[in-house]
Amino acid sequence: MRTLLTVVAAATFSHTAFSQAMYDINFQSADQAVNQVVTTGPAPNHVSSIWFGTPTVVAAFGPLTDQPLLFNSNGQSPMAFGYYYTQIELAFAYVPLPSVDLAFDMVDAGSSHSFTVLFDTPTVRNFEFNNGQITFINPLLPNVNVGNYQMGQVNRFDIHIDYHLNQWSFTENNSLLDSGAFNPDGNLQSIRFNYSATGPDTSGTAIDNLLVVTPEPSSTSFLASICCVFVSRYFYLRKH
């Protein structure tokens, strides 16, 4: 029985191997032109929509040299409360997801702005990047100081959201910074990237190599079926 349980546990906890990329964007496809606003389109290789501003594909931004997407407020007009916004969206079907992994490269330069990743659940759960500081913001809980990042350098971030465990975890350059309660109030509807500045800002934030991964819809039920077969077979042999 101990061997059986070991096999079942191994199968259960290896479900992350059965995953699909919902978004995989590097802004280098043929329809993305340098120094032009990012082209929107269908998943998995395009941004779903632009909410505000002019997010622009550029040849390079600092050490990001493979055609990243730049957010800044240069040439824009102020919006609500005098702020300048640039924002894109990655949309999802309105279906429950057991877990979601978002990974991306980012370079942040300048101090008169903030950059926020918003998880719409449908009320937002935010990870805010502001002058080297990362903060998790949940409107129902106190803010969480996640950690720090280096301004002007390439940082690889991975945000893991686990709906079953009601938990988020944040990894920077392959090192876990922090984790905590996510407390969504519904299914994940979209992920948005928002740049907010207090004035015309020519510095900005650039991102590249966006990847959103979730387990295959069939993987959980498939593994559950395997486990049931093993357990049923075990007890059948015990009786006979």
Side-chain angles (χ1 to χ4, degrees), residues 84-170:
Y84 296 72
Y85 297 105
T86 301
Q87 186 179 121
I88 62 170
E89 177 190 42
L90 307 180
F92 296 87
Y94 292 86
V95 294
L97 300 173
S99 65
V100 176
D101 277 282
L102 166 67
F104 59 99
D105 296 328
M106 188 182 92
V107 170
D108 193 20
S111 59
S112 61
H113 63 265
S114 63
F115 190 75
T116 306
V117 180
L118 304 95
F119 289 81
D120 296 311
T121 72
T123 59
V124 295
R125 305 294 185 261
N126 299 344
F127 290 88
E128 182 182 78
F129 303 80
N130 193 332
N131 198 27
Q133 174 66 50
I134 307 167
T135 305
F136 175 66
I137 302 172
N138 183 325
L140 304 177
L141 299 170
N143 291 351
V144 176
N145 181 353
V146 177
N148 302 312
Y149 65 97
Q150 292 295 316
M151 301 287 292
Q153 296 185 14
V154 177
N155 297 280
R156 182 69 176 177
F157 299 119
D158 189 306
I159 303 171
H160 176 72
I161 307 298
D162 191 316
Y163 270 72
H164 291 324
L165 298 178
N166 184 32
Q167 188 177 59
W168 59 265
S169 60
F170 193 104

Side-chain angles (χ1 to χ4, degrees), residues 16 19 23-24 42 65 127 152 168 192 195 227:
T16 52
S19 61
Y23 284 92
D24 189 356
T65 58
F127 290 88
W168 59 265
R192 290 178 287 145
Y195 180 91
C227 294

Side-chain angles (χ1 to χ4, degrees), residues 215-231:
E216 288 282 2
S218 60
S219 64
T220 303
S221 58
F222 173 71
L223 289 171
S225 299
I226 293 176
C227 294
C228 289
V229 169
F230 270 103
V231 173

Side-chain angles (χ1 to χ4, degrees), residues 36-102:
Q36 298 296 318
V37 173
V38 64
T39 300
T40 60
N45 303 124
H46 293 84
V47 169
S48 303
S49 60
I50 299 170
W51 281 45
F52 307 114
T54 55
T56 302
V57 176
V58 295
F61 184 76
L64 277 180
T65 58
D66 292 325
Q67 206 162 304
L69 183 65
L70 176 63
F71 298 72
N72 64 22
S73 58
N74 189 30
Q76 298 181 27
S77 299
M79 300 179 67
F81 306 105
Y83 280 83
Y84 296 72
Y85 297 105
T86 301
Q87 186 179 121
I88 62 170
E89 177 190 42
L90 307 180
F92 296 87
Y94 292 86
V95 294
L97 300 173
S99 65
V100 176
D101 277 282
L102 166 67

